Amino acid sequence: MLDLVRVLSRWVFWILLALIVFATLSSIENRPHVPYLGANADRFAGFFALTAACGLAYPRRLGWLALGLIVMALGLEFGQTLVSSRHGRAMDAMVKIAGVVIALIIVTAGNKIEEKWLRTPRLG
């Protein structure tokens, strides 16, 4: 069962990564958004979900991959300055980084609990 979760999480991770890059660097008209949520909620949720999928897919590499996602968030904000209808801002990058960091904390705690649970012999 755990292998299936890892395989599905890898697919989710790479699909989310592609969608986030597209949404960030495409023109403002093509940017998807969730009604009733602000752009910051979209940014946070996207990077939170991406990091969570990363943590399930690649738990042993999560620290390095999270660092890579932070660098990617900064790079995408800079990349927006190259798109005429977009603008990169430090605050937007900070919201994305917050999504990475909070997901990293939650996923790391979950992975530690899972490791302990799997190592603990069960009676019965």
Side-chain angles (χ1 to χ4, degrees):
M1 181 66 174
L2 193 58
D3 291 336
L4 178 61
V5 171
R6 299 250 189 269
V7 169
L8 291 175
S9 297
R10 287 178 181 151
W11 278 97
V12 169
F13 171 76
W14 289 105
I15 290 168
L16 282 174
L17 182 65
L19 287 172
I20 287 172
V21 169
F22 170 78
T24 304
L25 297 179
S26 65
S27 67
I28 196 71
E29 297 83 28
N30 293 329
R31 182 187 176 276
H33 61 282
V34 179
Y36 307 111
L37 289 180
N40 282 336
D42 287 352
R43 291 178 187 103
F44 180 88
F47 276 81
F48 182 93
L50 182 65
T51 306
C54 177
L56 292 171
Y58 306 103
R60 291 189 179 112
R61 297 178 183 90
L62 181 58
W64 286 108
L65 289 170
L67 179 63
L69 293 176
I70 290 170
V71 170
M72 184 185 89
L74 295 169
L76 287 173
E77 285 303 315
F78 175 74
Q80 280 187 348
T81 62
L82 305 174
V83 178
S84 62
S85 66
R86 302 299 297 267
H87 56 277
R89 296 187 316 201
M91 184 60 190
D92 296 348
M94 296 308 293
V95 170
K96 292 173 182 180
I97 291 169
V100 171
V101 170
I102 292 172
L104 177 65
I105 292 167
I106 293 170
V107 170
T108 300
N111 285 342
K112 296 288 184 193
I113 291 168
E114 175 196 16
E115 286 175 16
K116 184 175 179 161
W117 185 72
L118 288 176
R119 279 190 266 146
T120 305
R122 287 185 225 87
L123 299 175

